[in-house]
Amino acid sequence: MDLEKRNVRKSNNLVNGKYRFGLIEQKILLSIISKIKISDKEFSPYRISWSQIKVLTRGKVRTKKGIAAICEKLKQRTIEVKEGAATNYFGLLSGWKISPGRWVEFRIDPVMKDMLLDLLEVGNFTLYQLENILPLSSTYSIRMYEILKSHEWQGSFEMSLADLRFALDAENKYKSFSTFRLRVLDKAQKDMKSTDINFTYKKVTVLREVDSLVFTITKNKTFKSIVQKKDIKTAREGDKVFFNGKSYEVEGGCIRLPDGPLPIGRVNQLIKKGVITFSSS
């Protein structure tokens, strides 16, 4: 299965936990999680190919040394999850194996079992497709997407500003709400135009201070799934690309969609405008 078409499943406790990985770390982390099968009872080494890592990092990480550095950062990060009056602390990786030029195998720490395994039996989990977070340009936007996705079924929900800052690991960043709004909330709104959801928010104030936020989540009707091809510009007759989650053949210089042909040139225009994205297979 193509990496972008995989599902990410997390317990809602983990979604609302406190952590903020770097942007590249976050995308690799979620790619690892997307490899976990719903039927898995125990963690096994989860393999990501060298070419997929290049895609996830947009070519910034392509050497054994670079990948090892990312793995070390992933291992050092701590995830905090509130459990009543107590706080539970988790690590993510217990180790990894690198085959230069071929793949990396990641070993998830067994302490993460309750957060990532047997989720169907327990319920209370969030599910989304990995492809939605790949175009996002901020680690806060990825975390905002996950939090909003966990409440999508409600349509709208209220969350205290303190709890949101905790989940984003931003308790001591952007202390003025105007800066937090600009750097986190408005940035996430803009970024999420490339995902399957949109959102708006309203402030709830207490004694003239922002106390909480009411979020309203809607489907993004203009969302287009990732177009996957090694180089869409050189697509030839008979080549297959993935568009809106389905496979299509290139015929006569077009992708034949249900509502009509989409010329390859138009695909390139949409890519440049950021309406759709593509990645290497």
Side-chain angles (χ1 to χ4, degrees):
M1 183 186 290
D2 302 307
L3 188 61
E4 293 83 356
K5 305 306 171 187
R6 291 185 176 274
N7 290 324
V8 175
R9 297 179 187 85
K10 288 183 173 183
S11 73
N12 286 340
N13 286 338
L14 178 56
V15 168
N16 291 297
K18 177 181 178 179
Y19 52 94
R20 180 168 57 87
F21 295 81
L23 185 61
I24 289 175
E25 299 160 28
Q26 183 84 309
K27 291 183 178 182
I28 290 179
L29 161 64
L30 293 173
S31 300
I32 298 168
I33 293 174
S34 76
K35 295 281 186 174
I36 300 172
K37 297 176 182 177
I38 195 67
S39 58
D40 285 354
K41 298 299 181 183
E42 300 289 340
F43 293 127
S44 59
Y46 298 103
R47 181 178 295 186
I48 297 180
S49 72
W50 206 262
S51 62
Q52 289 169 339
I53 287 176
K54 287 182 181 179
V55 170
L56 292 168
T57 65
R58 297 191 175 185
K60 294 179 181 178
V61 179
R62 58 177 66 239
T63 65
K64 180 179 178 181
K65 182 178 179 181
I67 289 175
I70 291 292
C71 292
E72 190 62 41
K73 287 181 180 179
L74 283 170
K75 186 178 181 181
Q76 291 174 356
R77 299 289 187 185
T78 300
I79 298 168
E80 298 180 33
V81 176
K82 290 181 178 179
E83 296 180 353
T87 302
N88 209 343
Y89 296 84
F90 298 87
L92 175 70
L93 296 183
S94 61
W96 56 89
K97 183 191 292 186
I98 299 175
S99 179
R102 297 176 61 202
W103 44 258
V104 182
E105 281 187 347
F106 298 90
R107 299 188 295 276
I108 299 177
D109 196 306
V111 299
M112 296 294 295
K113 284 179 65 174
D114 290 345
M115 301 291 156
L116 299 170
L117 296 180
D118 290 330
L119 297 181
L120 282 181
E121 294 181 15
V122 177
N124 194 32
F125 68 94
T126 297
L127 168 71
Y128 62 86
Q129 284 197 313
L130 178 66
E131 66 176 347
N132 282 287
I133 62 89
L134 295 182
L136 300 182
S137 60
S138 162
T139 183
Y140 288 126
S141 294
I142 293 176
R143 292 290 291 122
M144 282 295 302
Y145 175 82
E146 291 187 325
I147 292 166
L148 292 166
K149 198 70 177 173
S150 71
H151 291 276
E152 184 182 14
W153 63 276
Q154 293 173 279
S156 65
F157 71 102
E158 185 172 348
M159 187 174 190
S160 75
L161 183 59
D163 284 346
L164 181 60
R165 283 185 174 276
F166 173 85
L168 298 176
D169 191 18
E171 293 159 300
N172 298 310
K173 291 203 69 175
Y174 312 132
K175 292 188 176 181
S176 73
F177 180 76
S178 60
T179 306
F180 180 80
R181 178 182 62 196
L182 179 66
R183 298 292 181 87
V184 178
L185 300 174
D186 293 350
K187 169 67 172 166
Q189 271 189 322
K190 182 179 179 180
D191 278 356
M192 283 188 211
K193 291 179 181 179
S194 64
T195 74
D196 60 337
I197 58 172
N198 291 316
F199 76 96
T200 57
Y201 64 92
K202 292 182 180 179
K203 299 179 293 183
V204 177
T205 58
V206 175
L207 299 177
R208 297 186 179 182
E209 295 289 330
V210 178
D211 181 71
S212 62
L213 296 164
V214 176
F215 293 97
T216 300
I217 307 157
T218 56
K219 291 285 186 183
N220 182 1
K221 295 180 180 179
T222 64
F223 171 66
K224 297 295 184 182
S225 215
I226 285 174
V227 174
Q228 184 170 326
K229 184 75 179 61
K230 286 187 177 179
D231 187 349
I232 194 70
K233 295 178 183 178
T234 61
R236 294 176 290 185
E237 291 296 303
D239 280 347
K240 290 191 175 184
V241 297
F242 287 91
F243 189 87
N244 204 24
K246 296 182 180 179
S247 175
Y248 297 97
E249 274 196 7
V250 176
E251 301 177 48
C254 300
I255 300 173
R256 300 287 176 178
L257 300 177
D259 55 352
L262 183 65
I264 293 299
R266 179 57 178 155
V267 172
N268 292 326
Q269 291 175 3
L270 294 174
I271 290 169
K272 289 178 181 178
K273 290 180 180 179
V275 177
I276 59 176
T277 58
F278 74 97
S279 65
S280 300
S281 54

